[in-house]
C-alpha cells in the first residue's frame, strides 16, 4: 500500500434553503469582520445557474450581510487553462478577498483553480500535483447545485 497524508478541513452545511444563509456563513468563516462592506466576494458560476435564479439568491444573501459582490458567470463545461485564465483576468480587476464557486463541478473547479492564480500567480499548469504553493489561499466556499461531482470536497 502506498503511503499518504490527508488533511480534511471541509465543513459541509446541508439543508433546505442553505443558500439563503450564505452571508451569515461567510461572517462566521471570517470571524465576523468589522467591515464586511470592504470585503468583496467573487461569485464564480455559469449562465445556467444564473438563469435558474441561484446566482441572485446567493448574491442577495451575501449583500444582506454587508458584503460587496462581483460576479463571473462565464464558466464553461470542463474548463481548461484558457477558461481559468479568462476568469483570472476578470477577477484581477475585482480584487476579491474571497471566492464562492456556485454550480456544478465546472464552476467549483474554476473557483478552486482561480484561487491558485490569485494567491500565487502563474498558470494552472504550474500547480499540477500536490502542495504546489506555500502562499496563503483566499477564503473559498463551494455551493454545489448538482449532485455527484464531489468537487466541493476535493482540492
Amino acid at each position: 500500500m502506498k503511503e499518504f497524508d490527508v488533511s480534511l478541513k471541509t465543513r459541509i452545511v446541508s439543508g433546505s434553503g442553505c443558500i439563503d444563509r450564505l452571508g451569515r456563513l461567510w461572517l462566521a468563516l471570517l470571524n465576523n469582520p468589522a467591515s464586511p462592506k470592504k470585503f468583496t466576494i467573487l461569485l464564480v458560476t455559469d449562465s445556467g445557474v444564473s438563469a435558474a435564479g441561484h446566482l441572485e439568491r446567493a448574491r442577495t444573501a451575501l449583500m444582506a450581510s454587508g458584503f460587496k459582490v462581483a460576479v463571473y458567470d462565464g464558466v464553461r463545461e470542463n474548463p481548461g487553462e484558457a477558461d481559468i485564465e479568462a476568469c483570472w483576468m476578470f477577477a484581477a480587476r475585482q480584487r476579491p478577498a474571497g471566492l464562492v464557486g456556485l454550480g456544478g463541478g465546472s464552476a467549483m473547479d474554476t473557483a478552486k483553480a482561480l484561487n491558485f492564480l490569485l494567491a500565487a500567480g502563474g498558470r494552472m499548469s504550474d500547480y499540477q500535483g500536490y502542495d504546489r504553493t506555500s502562499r496563503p489561499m483566499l477564503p473559498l466556499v463551494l455551493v454545489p447545485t448538482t449532485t455527484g461531482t464531489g468537487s466541493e470536497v476535493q482540492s
Side-chain angles (χ1 to χ4, degrees), residues 67-154:
F67 294 101
K68 292 181 184 176
V69 179
V71 174
Y72 179 81
D73 65 355
V75 172
R76 297 185 321 164
E77 190 173 332
N78 298 317
E81 193 158 0
D83 298 298
I84 306 306
E85 192 167 312
C87 185
W88 175 83
M89 288 175 20
F90 174 83
R93 292 189 305 270
Q94 306 304 315
R95 302 178 59 106
L99 304 171
V100 171
L102 174 66
S106 295
M108 292 186 285
D109 288 348
T110 297
K112 291 185 288 187
L114 173 63
N115 206 351
F116 280 95
L117 299 187
L118 289 173
R123 300 177 55 84
M124 276 316 304
S125 56
D126 298 334
Y127 300 102
Q128 292 178 356
Y130 180 76
D131 205 21
R132 302 296 284 194
T133 182
S134 59
R135 295 198 177 165
M137 305 291 268
L138 297 177
L140 170 69
V141 172
L142 301 172
V143 182
T145 58
T146 60
T147 60
T149 69
S151 187
E152 68 274 12
V153 293
Q154 298 172 0

Side-chain angles (χ1 to χ4, degrees), residues 23-37 39 65 67:
R24 292 190 310 271
L25 292 169
W26 264 98
L27 288 172
L29 174 69
L30 300 172
N31 258 341
N32 296 311
S35 300
K37 288 188 186 298
F39 198 99
S65 290
F67 294 101

Side-chain angles (χ1 to χ4, degrees), residues 2-8 130-131:
K2 188 173 180 179
E3 290 185 25
F4 63 91
D5 181 344
V6 177
S7 177
L8 302 174
Y130 180 76
D131 205 21

